[in-house]
Amino acid sequence: EPEVTQTPSHQVTQMGQEVILRCVPISNHLYFYWYRQILGQKVEFLVSFYNNEISEKSEIFDDQFSVERPDGSNFTLKIRSTKLEDSAMYFCASSERLGQGAYFGPGTRLTVL
Amino acid sequence: GEDVEQSLFLSVREGDSSVINCTYTDSSSTYLYWYKQEPGAGLQLLTYIFSNMDMKQDQRLTVLLNKKDKHLSLRIADTQTGDSAIYFCAEDKIIFGKGTRLHILP
């Protein structure tokens, strides 16, 4: 069964450093998402992406965040200058059509020291 | 603003039915979803319901939707130990509730 994959599974970085979190969505899906979950808290929407552009973003998704689909398979989330409060589990998701629910990857645990 | 509310914890005996409740605020939601998160794992889409339906059944899972009250519930029949997880409801833009932790008693 096709699945969303994410790499790395765990990323440790120093405050102020840039990180790139990578995702490979399910191949025939057209809608892509990033979410984050701070330990013990709710899953928060960051951004949705369709047709090579951001379709929606939350207040969390400020100028330090960016997304890119550099080729036909990868979908990346870049955090330019990480802060301690960026430590969280970051989930990538994709869906074939709007309204069918999204399939989530296993997540990347980001730890900012 | 949009918000999704759930009770945080539910404890049931193995073999009993579990009912997890959720309220949402966005009345324009076309679809509503239930996701399951097992410890240390990602989110698994369990089921979804279209807003013009009031019930959907899928094996042991029954979703009930009261659109007037903006209330969504997930019933798990014959709850098993493998059902222990956190259950999230989500609305159209996939705005999640805080999740309900389902604990199964032997």
Side-chain angles (χ1 to χ4, degrees):
Chain A
E1 187 176 323
E3 57 184 18
V4 177
T5 59
Q6 290 185 243
T7 54
S9 56
H10 191 189
Q11 172 97 42
V12 181
T13 189
Q14 295 287 330
M15 191 170 60
Q17 295 296 304
E18 174 184 285
V19 294
I20 297 177
L21 310 182
R22 300 178 194 281
C23 168
V24 179
I26 295 172
S27 62
N28 64 331
H29 285 188
L30 301 176
Y31 297 85
F32 313 114
Y33 312 87
W34 282 101
Y35 291 81
R36 77 172 185 193
Q37 185 179 32
I38 295 171
L39 187 64
Q41 298 188 25
K42 65 192 291 185
V43 177
E44 299 173 295
F45 169 75
L46 292 178
V47 65
S48 59
F49 191 86
Y50 170 70
N51 202 25
N52 286 318
E53 61 183 26
I54 290 173
S55 47
E56 196 156 355
K57 60 182 180 180
S58 71
E59 290 175 354
I60 302 167
F61 194 87
D62 61 23
D63 291 345
Q64 70 159 343
F65 290 91
S66 62
V67 289
E68 198 176 34
R69 188 152 162 82
D71 53 43
S73 60
N74 288 283
F75 179 51
T76 62
L77 174 70
K78 183 193 289 187
I79 309 175
R80 287 192 186 82
S81 177
T82 50
K83 303 192 282 277
L84 294 176
E85 54 265 38
D86 293 327
S87 294
M89 198 76 169
Y90 287 80
F91 292 104
C92 170
S94 69
S95 63
E96 186 177 0
R97 290 195 288 274
L98 277 179
Q100 280 198 326
Y103 290 83
F104 281 73
T108 293
R109 181 172 295 284
L110 176 65
T111 302
V112 182
L113 302 175
Chain B
E2 298 161 351
D3 205 3
V4 178
E5 297 287 339
Q6 298 177 240
S7 53
L8 295 181
F9 193 78
L10 176 67
S11 187
V12 299
R13 295 208 174 274
E14 193 175 358
D16 288 352
S17 292
S18 306
V19 180
I20 302 170
N21 295 302
C22 167
T23 57
Y24 61 96
T25 55
D26 186 3
S27 57
S28 65
S29 285
T30 307
Y31 292 90
L32 293 137
Y33 310 94
W34 282 104
Y35 284 84
K36 177 183 180 183
Q37 185 179 34
E38 294 185 61
L43 290 144
Q44 175 195 358
L45 177 64
L46 277 181
T47 187
Y48 62 93
I49 188 167
F50 189 49
S51 60
N52 70 351
M53 298 169 66
D54 50 23
M55 188 183 89
K56 179 179 179 180
Q57 184 145 9
D58 183 2
Q59 299 181 332
R60 290 192 299 121
L61 304 179
T62 303
V63 180
L64 296 176
L65 175 61
N66 180 331
K67 202 173 176 186
K68 174 176 163 291
D69 295 337
K70 296 190 201 123
H71 183 264
L72 182 73
S73 68
L74 174 70
R75 179 176 178 269
I76 306 172
D78 186 25
T79 310
Q80 298 158 13
T81 53
D83 296 324
S84 289
I86 300 176
Y87 291 81
F88 293 91
C89 69
E91 55 183 2
D92 237 1
K93 295 176 185 176
I94 319 188
I95 306 294
F96 285 84
K98 288 183 180 175
T100 299
R101 184 179 296 277
L102 178 62
H103 177 62
I104 313 302
L105 300 168

